[in-house]
Amino acid sequence: MSNDDETAKADGGTASQSETVEDERFEEHPLEWDEPENNDKAPDERDSVSHRTEKYDDRKLVTGQAKYTADYEERYPDLAYAAVVRSEIPHGRVTDIDTSAAEAIDGVEAVLTPESDAVPDAKYTSAGQSYPEPSPWDMHVLNEHVRYIGDPIAAVAAEDRATATAAVEAIEVSYEEADYVTDPEAAFDEDAPQLFEDGEVENEIVGHDYDRNRMAHIGGELGDVDGALDGNTHVHETEWETIRQSHANVEKHTSLAYTDEDDRHVLITSTQVPNHTRRQLAHLFDIPIRDIRVTKPRVGGGFGGKQAMVVEPIPLALSLATDRPVLYEASREEEFYAMRSRHPMKVKAKTAVTDDGDIEAIDIYALSNTGAYGSHGMTVAGNVGSKPMPLYSKVPNARFEADIVHTNTPQTGAMRGYGAPQGTLALEGHLDEVARDLGLDPIEFRRRHHMEVGDLDEIAGMMGGEGANRRIRSCGLDECIEHGKDAIGYDDLEQPDEDHLHRGIGMALSAQGTGVAGDELGAAQIMMNEDGSFHLQVGGVDIGTGADTAFLQIAAEVLGCDEDDIIVKSSDTDVTPFDYGAYASSTTYISGMAVKKAAEDAKARILDWGAKLLDEPVEKLETGDGTVYSESSGDSVTLEDIGYEAAYGDDEREHILGKGTHCTEESPPPFAAQFADVTVDETTGEFEVHKLVVAVDCGVAINPGMAEGQIEGANHMSYEMAVSDGITLDDEGRAEVADFDEYGLPSATETPPIESILVETHEPTGPFGAKSVAEVPTNTVPPALSNAVRDAVGVRIREMPITAEKIRAKLDEREI
């Protein structure tokens, strides 16, 4: 046998093995999906889905009739009001708390300190996540060891807000101050002040090293990244930095607690996670879950900031101490320094690219500042890699690592995008830079490598997390790019007449998830009334996004009735079925599918009763226009007739109910293509953003109007991340903003026009083809704007925010 024959045999064997491996992967993650026939309806066959139905609560919201948590104070005449004493030093121990003056004030009902009986001593995490909790238990409700300016030390309940505030101001706290550290890189030093002692934290996270203030270290690798970087390729490395961003919720963190006549503990609270909060309170206060009820009224914005049990323990402890209902509403100042914010990060991106422009490897490292405590620290950092990197699923070698570090700064937490904005800035800015350095068109460079239908996403799964090894069954990236290019005028850009002005366009791609693969649960129940109307009970949480409206449209589509014939009740742990809550862009996909299953369950019983009344086989019947009708004879009976017959019939009676539960291993990514059009003045660095365009593939939009609203809101939040300072801190880690006047949230007149474009695909695993929409447009403006500035004047801004001063400084460096 010749050497050539040997080689051929070897190659053939390798090819055969590869085919076998690929066959096994397809068998484990098939492209085809066993989709119910009724899930894939043509647009002209949809009666409710895909319509711009008025948002369920719009009229209540604009007329002031909607009830938020603080509005419930009117129902409790003996209500007491809470206020909190917070640390004024960045690090140290409380040596004395003098409460005597506060307790002497008329109207003060209780003053709690860490030593009070009503204050639990158990450790916990505030992160509202599934169980077992993937965040460390490193917090106390009230603290003797304070780790940032804002740590809660004592709490007061009084007959009114003014008295509670006066009592807080009358409490004197003595400290033994300790050294502190606010910079995450300095926190790594061996001599840096240590926030936690070894063994002090319960439920420790992988890779923790508290001697170096490291809460966790995570990572994963696909292929051989070092081998690719050492090969005959172009290696590029860049570093990026993001801001500490506030959720800027209109409604502040607010919670009302009381004990009812059955000695059960009730919390009316502004939360995204009622069931997680109930479980966390049960753990913290050692109360059976059955004896806690958490109910959510309207929520005035969450954006992830209320995916945490931030304030609920305070009013519950005070309520236990006073035997009165207690309301705690955080101040606007507390929102900025004592609630939650987006993790500021430094992210390094490195790639290996061949002469032909093939990406051989992507390597990303993130250093995340989790602040004083670790809630959401590991999972947010994981998404820095697991969300943007899979966009380039054809790259054979990929690696992601992250260190999550404690500093004496305010707490961070979940926020819309959940790590993806930080990672998307680094990767999309980096790839733009690589393409320009190699003389390649940045868009075509991405097109060569981006994800397509049929791809097996192994990058997201390399750390074993969300979306592990998922098969891509819907992808509209090419259409997003084309629509975005047309809308921004990519091929028709005209330069200004003035020589010192330069116009450029930048673009960026993005992907997100749709729920947490393998770690979600939604449930719903539908009850039919005798007049043919329905009550829908669902655990999914509407935090202002319009989820309740989407649920109604999904149920109406199945039941063949009008949305107005359905009353929705959501998120009361005593009444509605169990649901993990609103986060990870899961609500329409997970809870919505549970609603669809519940409606189908009820529909089966409705058709059975219709068969009896029409004397026709069930197989010939369908629902529509508030009736059950025969597809063969054309005869029909109304849902009201069926409701009365089922409830009051002579021979047989039944309360028609439908139940649905949904969980899945799938997490299909939505996609976005972002474009930014900017003109830069090279003499000053000042710039004007003329327009933002973002085209989004969200599968089938259950309500296109609401989807467009989500896109525009997310893109505004993303724009803020690109051009605003966020929450800045002084040298001690003290927040330098106390209200909206001081926080750089771009106003409507300061925000460029945002054009949202829906690119509909069909995701077979989602209800009527839907996947998520609310987070993916949050990721894209910082890299697109950085790329646009680079296109306009040739300089790169990698540290957010992008400012005229930074551009001018870069231009000056270039001139030198």
Side-chain angles (χ1 to χ4, degrees):
M1 184 179 291
S2 69
N3 289 339
D4 287 342
D5 289 337
E6 289 282 1
T7 302
K9 182 180 178 182
D11 287 344
T14 302
S16 177
Q17 290 170 1
S18 298
E19 290 171 1
T20 300
V21 170
E22 188 61 20
D23 288 345
E24 290 175 351
R25 288 172 174 171
F26 260 99
E27 186 174 340
E28 188 176 356
H29 304 283
L31 178 61
E32 296 76 22
W33 185 257
D34 186 15
E35 182 180 16
E37 185 177 347
N38 74 347
N39 201 57
D40 189 7
K41 300 176 77 171
D44 60 358
E45 295 176 347
R46 301 169 192 162
D47 296 318
S48 185
V49 165
S50 297
H51 289 245
R52 295 175 181 266
T53 302
E54 180 180 308
K55 197 159 166 279
Y56 179 71
D57 54 356
D58 264 356
R59 292 174 188 263
K60 290 191 295 184
L61 294 173
V62 299
T63 59
Q65 300 302 305
K67 296 291 186 186
Y68 297 88
T69 297
D71 293 324
Y72 283 79
E73 64 180 336
E74 299 171 356
R75 297 188 179 184
Y76 304 96
D78 58 341
L79 185 68
Y81 295 84
V84 176
V85 178
R86 297 185 178 278
S87 174
E88 297 178 347
I89 65 170
H91 195 199
R93 290 192 177 273
V94 174
T95 56
D96 185 58
I97 307 173
D98 184 352
T99 63
S100 57
E103 290 170 327
I105 297 175
D106 288 342
V108 172
E109 300 295 329
V111 179
L112 300 183
T113 70
E115 302 299 324
S116 301
D117 291 341
V119 178
D121 191 42
K123 293 176 181 174
Y124 71 106
T125 174
S126 65
Q129 298 173 288
S130 61
Y131 187 85
E133 293 161 347
S135 289
W137 293 356
D138 55 8
M139 300 179 63
H140 284 108
V141 175
L142 300 175
N143 296 275
E144 293 177 340
H145 182 177
V146 292
R147 297 179 173 87
Y148 75 102
I149 295 175
D151 233 348
I153 295 172
V156 170
E159 61 183 12
D160 55 53
R161 288 185 171 89
T163 303
T165 301
V168 162
E169 293 173 350
I171 294 173
E172 295 185 3
V173 180
S174 302
Y175 303 95
E176 178 185 341
E177 298 193 38
D179 292 338
Y180 59 90
V181 59
T182 58
D183 180 84
E185 292 178 312
F188 258 142
D189 291 345
E190 292 182 358
D191 297 331
Q194 192 171 334
L195 272 73
F196 293 93
E197 301 293 333
D198 282 341
E200 184 178 359
V201 174
E202 299 177 13
N203 196 38
E204 294 171 326
I205 304 303
V206 59
H208 65 85
D209 181 0
Y210 287 105
D211 287 340
R212 300 182 63 198
N213 293 310
R214 189 168 72 186
M215 188 214 97
H217 174 84
I218 54 175
E221 183 170 359
L222 180 69
D224 180 6
V225 171
D226 287 332
L229 292 170
D230 291 339
N232 186 21
T233 56
H234 300 276
V235 175
H236 291 75
E237 185 169 3
T238 56
E239 184 168 345
W240 308 78
E241 188 168 348
T242 62
I243 65 169
R244 180 186 297 269
Q245 187 178 22
S246 171
H247 303 82
N249 296 310
V250 175
E251 184 200 22
K252 296 169 287 189
H253 285 79
T254 310
S255 185
L256 190 159
Y258 66 94
T259 302
D260 70 10
E261 64 274 21
D262 297 318
D263 289 332
R264 298 178 69 242
H265 308 288
V266 182
L267 284 102
I268 304 169
T269 189
S270 183
T271 180
Q272 297 175 223
V273 285
N275 285 288
H276 290 337
T277 299
R278 181 180 63 161
R279 187 196 71 238
Q280 291 172 290
L281 288 171
H283 157 74
L284 186 56
F285 286 85
D286 194 22
I287 297 172
I289 284 179
R290 66 171 183 271
D291 288 337
I292 299 176
R293 177 183 184 184
V294 177
T295 181
K296 171 213 72 76
R298 304 319 297 172
V299 175
F303 309 119
K306 296 171 182 173
Q307 194 206 330
M309 189 176 69
V310 178
V311 296
E312 287 83 355
I314 297 287
L316 179 54
L318 288 167
S319 177
L320 294 171
T322 61
D323 196 25
R324 292 176 60 168
V326 175
L327 173 70
Y328 177 38
E329 182 177 14
S331 69
R332 183 57 66 189
E333 184 176 9
E334 286 178 309
E335 286 289 325
F336 286 110
Y337 81 97
M339 298 297 122
R340 300 293 181 270
S341 64
R342 190 185 298 284
H343 293 73
M345 294 190 194
K346 293 183 178 179
V347 185
K348 296 179 180 178
K350 184 187 294 186
T351 51
V353 183
T354 69
D355 293 337
D356 296 330
D358 292 331
I359 303 175
E360 289 295 310
I362 298 176
D363 188 12
I364 289 183
Y365 168 78
L367 178 64
S368 177
N369 182 356
T370 191
Y373 298 98
S375 62
H376 289 287
M378 178 192 69
T379 42
V380 165
N383 281 355
V384 174
S386 66
K387 289 295 191 296
M389 293 176 73
L391 263 173
Y392 303 100
S393 54
K394 302 181 192 312
V395 175
N397 307 290
R399 179 168 60 201
F400 174 71
E401 290 186 89
D403 287 306
I404 302 95
V405 179
H406 285 296
T407 60
N408 296 108
T409 59
Q411 293 190 70
T412 52
M415 187 167 179
R416 196 179 198 174
Y418 206 80
Q422 295 94 323
T424 302
L425 167 65
L427 184 56
E428 290 301 304
H430 177 89
L431 292 181
D432 186 88
E433 203 158 318
V434 171
R436 293 178 190 277
D437 286 350
L438 296 179
L440 304 172
D441 180 86
I443 294 180
E444 295 309 313
F445 182 54
R446 290 179 174 85
R447 280 187 191 275
R448 291 173 59 176
H449 300 92
H450 75 56
M451 184 176 269
E452 297 176 297
V453 170
D455 284 358
L456 181 64
D457 172 18
E458 296 178 287
I459 295 179
M462 69 187 180
M463 291 184 293
E466 179 181 340
N469 294 338
R470 58 188 169 182
R471 184 69 66 184
I472 302 305
R473 302 185 178 88
S474 62
C475 179
L477 266 174
D478 280 330
E479 293 84 353
C480 288
I481 293 171
E482 287 306 311
H483 285 294
K485 285 178 65 177
D486 290 344
I488 204 74
Y490 188 81
D491 295 323
D492 303 308
L493 186 68
E494 294 183 1
Q495 290 296 328
D497 293 334
E498 297 88 342
D499 291 341
H500 65 287
L501 299 179
H502 304 276
R503 193 173 177 187
I505 291 178
M507 74 88 67
L509 300 182
S510 182
Q512 195 78 24
T514 304
V516 183
D519 198 16
E520 293 277 7
L521 175 62
Q525 175 173 276
I526 288 179
M527 302 184 295
M528 187 178 189
N529 302 312
E530 56 264 52
D531 65 352
S533 64
F534 299 89
H535 276 82
L536 168 61
Q537 298 170 328
V538 58
V541 180
D542 190 334
I543 55 174
T545 58
D548 286 352
T549 309
F551 296 152
L552 292 177
Q553 291 184 255
I554 290 169
E557 185 73 42
V558 174
L559 295 169
C561 66
D562 194 271
E563 296 96 352
D564 291 340
D565 291 330
I566 307 174
I567 304 297
V568 62
K569 173 66 178 177
S570 67
S571 310
D572 180 333
T573 57
D574 263 18
V575 178
T576 56
F578 188 89
D579 191 289
Y580 279 15
Y583 58 87
S585 292
S586 66
T587 306
T588 298
Y589 184 73
I590 298 293
S591 305
M593 186 61 91
V595 169
K596 183 171 183 283
K597 289 180 176 179
E600 290 168 342
D601 193 32
K603 178 181 176 180
R605 298 305 308 141
I606 291 169
L607 293 179
D608 193 68
W609 279 93
K612 293 176 184 175
L613 294 179
L614 293 171
D615 194 23
E616 294 206 38
V618 168
E619 293 75 20
K620 300 289 186 182
L621 303 181
E622 188 49 84
T623 58
D625 295 327
T627 70
V628 171
Y629 63 92
S630 168
E631 293 176 314
S632 56
S633 69
D635 293 340
S636 65
V637 60
T638 67
L639 295 181
E640 182 176 10
D641 291 337
I642 290 174
Y644 271 98
E645 182 64 21
Y648 302 112
D650 293 330
D651 300 330
E652 185 182 0
R653 294 170 194 162
E654 174 188 4
H655 186 193
I656 294 177
L657 297 169
K659 297 180 180 180
T661 296
H662 188 64
C663 61
T664 178
E665 298 294 320
E666 302 295 323
S667 177
F671 300 97
Q674 175 83 55
F675 292 81
D677 176 2
V678 65
T679 291
V680 181
D681 183 335
E682 68 175 10
T683 63
T684 64
E686 293 178 348
F687 60 94
E688 179 183 0
V689 182
H690 304 293
K691 187 178 182 180
L692 298 172
V693 171
V694 57
V696 177
D697 160 22
C698 62
V700 171
I702 299 297
N703 185 316
M706 293 196 311
E708 289 165 355
Q710 286 295 303
I711 293 171
E712 291 169 12
N715 228 216
H716 175 268
M717 183 173 278
S718 188
Y719 180 66
E720 178 203 334
M721 194 174 168
V723 301
S724 297
D725 290 327
I727 303 173
T728 57
L729 308 178
D730 67 13
D731 292 341
E732 293 185 318
R734 179 183 290 101
E736 295 178 313
V737 294
D739 54 41
F740 279 135
D741 286 339
E742 297 175 348
Y743 185 69
L745 187 69
S747 67
T749 57
E750 295 168 336
T751 302
I754 298 172
E755 181 175 346
S756 60
I757 301 172
L758 292 175
V759 175
E760 291 203 2
T761 57
H762 181 84
E763 172 52 45
T765 66
F768 296 110
K771 47 188 179 180
S772 72
V773 67
E775 290 190 280
V776 69
T778 313
N779 308 330
T780 44
V781 175
L785 188 53
S786 175
N787 298 342
V789 171
R790 170 66 176 80
D791 189 54
V793 291
V795 298
R796 171 70 64 181
I797 307 301
R798 300 194 188 105
E799 179 184 349
M800 298 298 105
I802 298 171
T803 66
E805 291 75 16
K806 291 177 182 175
I807 295 173
R808 182 61 254 174
K810 287 288 185 183
L811 289 168
D812 289 344
E813 289 177 13
R814 189 179 63 179
E815 290 170 1
I816 293 173

